[in-house]
Amino acid sequence: MSDARNELGAHIEARRPDCVLSWAVARDELTLEVSASSLVSFVEFLKSDRNCRFSTLVDITAVDYPEREARFEVVYHFLSMYENQRIRLKVAAREEDMLPSITDIHPSANWFEREVFDMFGLLFKGHPDLRRILTDYGFRGHPLRKDFPTTGYTEVRYDDAEKRVVYEPVNLVQEYRQFDFMSPWEGAEYILPGDEKGDGAKS
């Protein structure tokens, strides 16, 4: 199947060299990097080209890389049931960028783009109804950004005395533990609670 993926990648690059920034096949999956300015015309090409016919939008998501100038990578997955092929598009975006909506080509992009807006704060130009979809309308921030605090900013609960839902700032009863996910076997330099007992036992 890798040969078919490579042939498809070469075909797409040859037909649309103005759109494709780079492409590669890894783990038997074809991934193309595309500029945001050519996204709409390129998605139309993928849907209409007789060697592609990517008629199904599987999903849209994003990845946050805070250290990059173009902080976000918006990822599109398409399926061609005619050619039994899948393809992934990646579009780099800065925090202030406005990406073109592809809802006119794939109506199912409506909810996917709303999810990306809600979770990452990215705007889509031409979207018919760009509102939050997973969080509350008054929610502060975008939960899948890497700099979003793990505790959130606001606590939502039902107040039995007031007989309504209330919004309150997060108030932690003890110091919140920050995890770095480093395994002790990977050579952590800090001292974990209880390590001092082991040192005393050795002496």
Side-chain angles (χ1 to χ4, degrees):
M1 288 296 288
S2 291
D3 290 342
R5 305 282 190 270
N6 281 299
E7 287 177 13
L8 181 61
H11 166 76
I12 293 172
E13 184 180 39
R15 290 292 306 275
R16 297 304 300 265
D18 56 318
C19 299
V20 179
L21 302 177
S22 67
W23 66 274
V25 176
R27 296 188 177 91
D28 205 28
E29 296 178 348
L30 175 59
T31 302
L32 296 97
E33 292 187 24
V34 183
S35 62
S37 59
S38 59
L39 176 65
V40 173
S41 64
F42 188 68
V43 170
E44 287 177 337
F45 162 77
L46 290 179
K47 188 175 183 179
S48 61
D49 182 80
R50 63 186 182 87
N51 291 329
C52 297
R53 295 198 287 179
F54 287 100
S55 59
T56 303
L57 171 64
V58 178
D59 69 2
I60 305 173
T61 186
V63 186
D64 183 10
Y65 298 98
E67 70 280 0
R68 296 184 185 177
E69 182 181 356
R71 173 176 179 172
F72 300 101
E73 251 182 20
V74 184
V75 184
Y76 299 77
H77 292 105
F78 295 94
L79 168 67
S80 172
M81 291 182 287
Y82 304 97
E83 304 296 330
N84 191 26
Q85 294 271 27
R86 291 179 182 268
I87 195 170
R88 177 187 298 116
L89 302 187
K90 290 184 178 182
V91 178
R94 295 171 299 178
E95 193 169 347
E96 65 273 14
D97 287 346
M98 185 173 284
L99 296 165
S101 173
I102 60 169
T103 51
D104 288 341
I105 309 166
H106 293 279
S108 61
N110 189 323
W111 281 31
F112 294 140
E113 290 176 354
R114 283 180 64 181
E115 287 178 359
V116 173
F117 161 68
D118 195 358
M119 296 291 103
F120 294 92
L122 289 167
L123 298 172
F124 291 88
K125 184 178 182 180
H127 191 284
D129 186 22
L130 197 61
R131 293 176 293 146
R132 289 189 181 271
I133 190 171
L134 298 175
T135 61
D136 187 68
Y137 296 138
F139 191 86
R140 177 184 167 197
H142 303 282
L144 290 186
R145 288 191 176 192
K146 294 287 177 64
D147 53 6
F148 187 82
T150 52
T151 58
Y153 296 106
T154 308
E155 177 184 4
V156 182
R157 65 177 180 85
Y158 180 78
D159 190 295
D160 200 43
E162 296 189 31
K163 303 296 183 190
R164 67 180 181 88
V165 174
V166 295
Y167 295 79
E168 299 173 335
V170 172
N171 184 19
L172 299 172
V173 295
Q174 63 184 26
E175 183 180 352
Y176 190 75
R177 294 169 60 192
Q178 298 293 329
F179 296 97
D180 62 10
F181 302 105
M182 178 179 277
S183 165
W185 291 276
E186 293 173 347
E189 296 179 359
Y190 50 78
I191 298 174
L192 296 172
D195 283 357
E196 68 282 357
K197 296 176 184 176
D199 293 339
K202 290 178 183 177
S203 59

